[in-house]
Amino acid sequence: MRTLTIANGQELENVIRAVERGEEAAAGGEAHLEQQLASTRAIVEAVRVRGDAAVAEFTQKFDGVALDPGAFEISQSEIDAAFDTVDRELVGALERALENIRAFHARELRQSWEETSEDGTILGRRITALERVGVYVPGATAFYPSSVLMNIVPASVAGVEEIIMVSPPSFNGTIHPLVLAAAKVAGATRVFRIGGAQSIAAMAYGTGIIPAVPKITGPGNIYVTLAKRLVSSVCAIDMEAGPSEVVVLADAQADPREVAAEMLAQAEHNPDSVAILVTPSAELPGRVETVIEEELRLLERAETIRESLARFGTVYVVPGLEDAVRLTNVLAPEHLSIQVEDPMAVFEHIRNAGAVMLGGGTPVAVTDYYAGPNHILPTGRRARFSSPLSAEDFRKVTNYVSYSKERLQRDAGDIMRLATSEKLTAHARAVEIRK
C-alpha cells in the first residue's frame, strides 16, 4: 500500500481535486476500457441480431460450455435436486438472512395516494410493480448465493410477478448448487445457465428462449457492466457496478486488527478492488500494515489481496478528524467503516457512502450477507448521487389527474399563458376549446 501524509489544508485541497479529477485510486481502474467496450458492443449486437444462436456461441467461447438453446433454462426438478444436496445448516442460514433482508426492504415501500378537492378535481399517484425483471448473479470465479438474495428478495417484496435469474455455467457446466438453492429459497421464477455480456443482451432484447425484461439488476465483471450500459436505452438498469471498495475512517482509538480486517475483506474480491484507510493517527497505519502481513499468511486469496493492495491500497494520514470526514465524503465509497471513539457523532457528518458500518464491532460482512440492507451498492464515487438497490427500484409511478369543469375554468388562463409563452399554441388551444 502507499501512504500519503497530508500535512495542511492546502495539501488536502490538492488531494481532493485529484480525487475529483479521477487521478487518485478512489474507484479502481478499467484497463483498456475502449477495447473492452468495443468487444462488449460486438457481443450485444450479435445477440440482438441472432438471439439464442449467438448466446450459445458466446457461452461456449467464454465459459467453455456447449449448450443447445433448449438447455439454457434449468428445470425446477434440477433446482430441487441441487437444493437437496446443500447442507441443511447452510440452507437455514440462507433462510434467516432472507427474512432479515425481506423485513428491511419491506420498510422501503411507498404507498399510492389520491386526493379529491372540493370542486371534484382528483390528483393522485399510483405505484405498481414491474411485471418482469432480470437479475444477474456473478459466478465466473466464485459463487455468490448472497447476491441471489440481494437481487431477488427486494423484487419479490416490491410485487414483481416474474423474476428471471441468469448466472454463468461455471460449475460442471451448470450453476453451483448453493446458488440454485438460494434461487429456490428467494423465489426465482425462471433460472438460466448463461452469463457475461451475452446474458445481459439476451434479457434486454429477448431471444426465442429468454424473455425480454424491462429492467436488469445485479453486479458483474467489466463486460457485464458495459453491456448494461449499452442496453440501458432499451431497458432500465440498476447501476453500473465497478470494483468493490471500502474506506475505513479510523482514529487512534481503533483496533488495528479490525481496521485491517475490513481492508483485507474488500481486497480479496479481485485485483481491482479498492481498500483505503483515512486517519488522523500517524501511528495507526504502521500497526495496520503489520496485522495485514500476519493475516495474509492465513487467507486463501492472499495473492489476490496482495495485488489489490499493491495497486489500489491507500492510506491517507490527515491533520484531524474533520479532515478525515471531508475526504471521505469526496471519496464517496461503496462501503464505509467508521472506527472512531464516537462513530455516531462522525456519521452525522457523512453524506456520501453506499453503506456505513458504525464501530469496529460491525464488520462489512454483516451487511454483505445477513443484517438486511442490500449489498448491491453504488461504486466509483457514485454514492454522491446514487443509492443502494431497494424494493422501490422494482416499482414505478404513474401520476393521474381528473380535472373538474370548475377547476379548468379557474386555471385555463394561466395554463394558456404558459403554453403560449413557449410558442406551443396547440397546447393552449387544447385548453381553450374546453373553456
Side-chain angles (χ1 to χ4, degrees):
M1 293 192 299
R2 65 167 186 157
T3 298
L4 182 61
T5 300
I6 301 171
N8 54 53
Q10 184 56 57
E11 290 185 4
L12 179 63
E13 292 296 332
N14 293 340
V15 169
I16 286 173
R17 284 198 295 271
V19 171
E20 291 174 337
R21 290 193 298 263
E23 296 169 6
E24 286 291 301
E30 295 181 351
H32 313 300
L33 180 59
E34 289 303 318
Q35 181 180 350
Q36 292 168 325
L37 184 58
S39 298
T40 306
R41 184 177 284 109
I43 294 169
V44 168
E45 181 63 13
V47 173
R48 186 187 71 81
V49 174
R50 296 193 293 114
D52 291 314
V55 174
E57 289 176 17
F58 292 126
T59 299
Q60 183 161 19
K61 178 178 180 179
F62 298 122
D63 297 312
V65 178
L67 288 177
D68 181 84
F72 288 165
E73 185 167 6
I74 299 180
S75 69
Q76 189 59 53
S77 61
E78 290 177 275
I79 294 172
D80 292 341
F83 179 84
D84 290 339
T85 68
V86 176
D87 178 80
R88 294 301 93 184
E89 290 187 5
L90 191 50
V91 171
L94 283 172
E95 291 172 339
R96 289 186 290 275
L98 182 147
E99 289 308 313
N100 293 339
I101 297 165
R102 183 184 299 280
F104 185 92
H105 287 75
R107 298 185 181 99
E108 298 170 339
L109 298 179
R110 297 171 295 171
Q111 301 300 316
S112 300
W113 60 267
E114 179 180 288
E115 64 179 26
T116 304
S117 63
E118 291 183 1
D119 62 28
T121 292
I122 299 172
L123 300 177
R125 168 170 282 195
R126 177 181 295 167
I127 301 175
T128 55
L130 301 177
E131 295 174 286
R132 175 192 292 153
V133 298
V135 301
Y136 186 89
V137 177
T141 60
F143 308 110
Y144 299 101
S146 59
S147 289
V148 177
L149 301 185
M150 295 295 180
N151 270 295
I152 294 177
V153 174
S156 176
V157 167
V160 177
E161 295 178 2
E162 189 173 3
I163 303 171
I164 308 298
M165 186 185 108
V166 300
S167 192
S170 52
F171 180 81
N172 299 328
T174 188
I175 298 173
H176 194 280
L178 182 54
V179 174
L180 291 176
K184 178 180 173 69
V185 168
T189 310
R190 301 176 70 183
V191 179
F192 294 88
R193 60 184 121 220
I194 59 171
Q198 61 270 23
S199 69
I200 300 299
M203 291 191 291
Y205 296 109
T207 66
I209 299 293
I210 301 146
V213 301
K215 186 161 191 173
I216 299 171
T217 69
N221 64 18
I222 182 60
Y223 295 99
V224 169
T225 298
L226 292 175
K228 287 169 69 176
R229 178 189 298 178
L230 291 171
V231 304
S232 62
S233 62
V234 296
C235 71
I237 63 171
D238 52 351
M239 62 189 80
E240 292 185 28
S244 299
E245 57 194 38
V246 68
V247 167
V248 182
L249 196 167
D251 62 12
Q253 308 298 317
D255 184 332
R257 295 171 301 173
E258 293 171 347
V259 173
E262 297 315 311
M263 300 183 75
L264 290 164
Q266 290 305 308
E268 78 171 339
H269 277 289
N270 61 63
D272 288 336
S273 298
V274 179
I276 296 173
L277 170 61
V278 181
T279 180
S281 170
E283 294 76 27
L284 181 63
R287 296 171 184 164
V288 170
E289 291 216 38
T290 298
V291 173
I292 286 175
E293 286 302 318
E294 294 171 353
E295 289 292 310
L296 280 171
R297 303 190 192 107
L298 308 174
L299 299 173
E300 292 183 10
R301 297 173 66 87
E303 184 176 343
T304 298
I305 294 170
R306 287 189 185 279
E307 185 175 354
S308 168
L309 294 179
R311 295 174 66 196
F312 301 116
T314 306
V315 176
Y316 294 102
V317 180
V318 296
L321 195 56
E322 290 185 3
D323 302 303
V325 169
R326 185 173 176 217
L327 179 56
T328 296
N329 276 323
V330 174
L331 292 167
E334 177 189 21
H335 301 98
L336 171 60
S337 175
I338 302 179
Q339 301 189 31
V340 299
E341 188 173 4
D342 188 349
M344 192 59 74
V346 169
F347 180 50
E348 290 295 321
H349 301 284
I350 296 297
R351 297 182 63 89
N352 303 326
V356 180
M357 279 51 67
L358 298 168
T362 306
V364 172
V366 301
T367 59
D368 280 344
Y369 294 104
Y370 201 79
N374 208 289
H375 77 199
I376 299 174
L377 303 166
T379 61
R381 301 187 66 231
R382 294 180 182 88
R384 293 172 298 146
F385 52 80
S386 190
S387 305
L389 188 69
S390 75
E392 280 297 327
D393 287 312
F394 297 95
R395 303 169 94 206
K396 57 187 176 65
V397 172
T398 301
N399 296 329
Y400 61 94
V401 180
S402 176
Y403 244 39
S404 68
K405 291 183 179 181
E406 178 184 342
R407 182 73 172 268
L408 184 61
Q409 295 301 316
R410 189 187 77 190
D411 296 347
D414 283 345
I415 297 169
M416 293 166 65
R417 289 185 193 94
L418 291 169
T420 302
S421 74
E422 296 182 352
K423 301 188 184 306
L424 297 176
T425 53
H427 284 63
R429 179 63 179 160
V431 175
E432 184 178 21
I433 64 172
R434 290 171 170 85
K435 185 181 176 185

